[in-house]
Amino acid sequence: MFWILFLIFLGACFAAGTTGAIFPPGPWYRDLDKPTWTPPDWAFPVVWTTLYIFLSIAGARLALSDGNGMAMALWALQIALNGLWTPVFFGLKRIRGGMLVLSLLWLSVAASVYVFWGVDWIAGLLFIPYLLWVSVAGALNLSVWRRNPDVAANPPVQSR
Amino acid sequence: MFWILFLIFLGACFAAGTTGAIFPPGPWYRDLDKPTWTPPDWAFPVVWTTLYIFLSIAGARLALSDGNGMAMALWALQIALNGLWTPVFFGLKRIRGGMLVLSLLWLSVAASVYVFWGVDWIAGLLFIPYLLWVSVAGALNLSVWRRNPDVAANPPVQSR
């Protein structure tokens, strides 16, 4: 049962992560002024794959725990927000919209750590690297916004 | 507690639905050859808003039920797939990729109806209109594919 649950949660993570694969960083992102501590492009899929495995283990553990209602609601919320950032930032090239999504994602992950801890502390622990990485991503999104105010204020028009 | 859970699940639905708002149907979609039974553009946000409320009620009911592990995993899976379709179909303009996502979404929603029924039959009932609508969306995606084979085979290149 644990592994079936793990695979379903991993499927949810994969669906969210697919948005990252279909809107990869291109010339627009490369040409933005970024801080020196920007992680290299290759780090993102590596880190996300690791985190998605952690998230799925946490999800499966929580699913099998009593009193998991709030925890499962937050798990669903964070994965929906997780899949939204890439279409906004890389798809629409909207730096400020990306910041809004990342802020909401950060709040949902922070709430998750807190709530999970009371249900299954291992699940809470598994979300801490996620919280740290979303913090880095948020700092990066904010720095890119500040360094590229004109791009942030005038996102390119999408072809429809 | 029910209403807090309801609002968190609704937040997850809203995040998934936002992809529909940021990649709205444009000239590309309008110019596709579509079947006569294609629902009008205005129907989509109306139907989705209604469905999202049903989904959130179902999610909150399930979250408060015992033995909800598989149900909560499937709820998370369907919302992640739900948010993926629009970026693929309207964002990337990939008709065949959209069909793949819709097929996976349909399977996850069908499994949800079945599993929810055993945990809380009202939650199962609330997912039946969703299953019907995803069936319509799948039929529409398939019909668009068949009527526009050249567009489906040669999706426009995205600017990066």
Side-chain angles (χ1 to χ4, degrees):
Chain A
M1 184 69 165
F2 175 85
W3 290 107
I4 296 174
L5 291 167
F6 170 79
L7 289 175
I8 296 175
F9 283 111
L10 196 63
C13 290
F14 183 79
T18 298
T19 61
I22 63 182
F23 296 110
W28 173 80
Y29 175 73
R30 196 185 57 223
D31 292 346
L32 289 174
D33 180 22
K34 290 184 287 296
T36 52
W37 48 268
T38 302
D41 285 355
W42 62 262
F44 291 87
V46 172
V47 171
W48 277 115
T49 302
T50 310
L51 290 176
Y52 283 150
I53 292 169
F54 286 7
L55 266 65
S56 304
I57 296 171
R61 292 185 62 92
L62 292 163
L64 293 171
S65 303
D66 290 332
N68 63 1
M70 188 64 77
M72 297 321 312
L74 287 169
W75 203 100
L77 177 61
Q78 62 77 25
I79 204 65
L81 289 168
N82 189 301
L84 184 56
W85 184 79
T86 314
V88 171
F89 190 90
F90 285 116
L92 293 184
K93 303 184 176 69
R94 290 194 173 262
I95 295 170
R96 294 184 297 190
M99 195 69 229
L100 174 65
V101 175
L102 265 186
S103 303
L104 295 171
L105 177 61
W106 192 92
L107 288 173
S108 73
V109 175
S112 295
V113 170
Y114 177 77
V115 169
F116 293 3
W117 207 271
V119 179
D120 175 70
W121 66 269
I122 295 178
L125 207 62
L126 285 165
F127 259 53
I128 287 179
Y130 184 22
L131 185 61
L132 295 176
W133 183 249
V134 173
S135 303
V136 171
L140 178 57
N141 195 145
L142 186 63
S143 176
V144 166
W145 181 0
R146 293 200 167 159
R147 285 164 174 265
N148 306 271
D150 293 342
V151 183
N154 303 292
V157 176
Q158 298 300 303
S159 66
R160 290 195 172 145
Chain B
M1 184 67 166
F2 175 85
W3 290 106
I4 296 174
L5 291 167
F6 170 80
L7 290 175
I8 295 174
F9 284 111
L10 196 63
C13 289
F14 184 78
T18 298
T19 59
I22 62 182
F23 296 109
W28 173 80
Y29 175 72
R30 197 187 56 223
D31 293 345
L32 289 174
D33 180 24
K34 290 184 286 296
T36 52
W37 49 267
T38 302
D41 284 356
W42 62 262
F44 291 87
V46 172
V47 171
W48 277 115
T49 302
T50 310
L51 290 176
Y52 282 151
I53 292 169
F54 286 6
L55 265 64
S56 303
I57 295 171
R61 291 185 61 93
L62 292 163
L64 294 170
S65 303
D66 289 331
N68 63 2
M70 189 64 76
M72 298 321 310
L74 287 169
W75 203 100
L77 177 61
Q78 62 77 24
I79 204 64
L81 289 168
N82 188 302
L84 185 56
W85 184 79
T86 315
V88 171
F89 191 90
F90 285 116
L92 292 184
K93 303 183 176 69
R94 291 193 171 261
I95 295 170
R96 294 183 297 189
M99 195 68 229
L100 174 65
V101 175
L102 265 185
S103 304
L104 295 172
L105 177 60
W106 192 92
L107 288 173
S108 74
V109 175
S112 295
V113 171
Y114 177 77
V115 169
F116 292 4
W117 207 270
V119 179
D120 175 71
W121 66 269
I122 295 178
L125 207 62
L126 285 164
F127 259 51
I128 287 179
Y130 184 21
L131 185 62
L132 295 176
W133 182 250
V134 173
S135 303
V136 170
L140 178 58
N141 195 143
L142 186 64
S143 176
V144 166
W145 180 0
R146 292 201 169 158
R147 285 164 174 266
N148 306 271
D150 293 343
V151 183
N154 303 293
V157 177
Q158 299 299 304
S159 67
R160 292 195 170 146

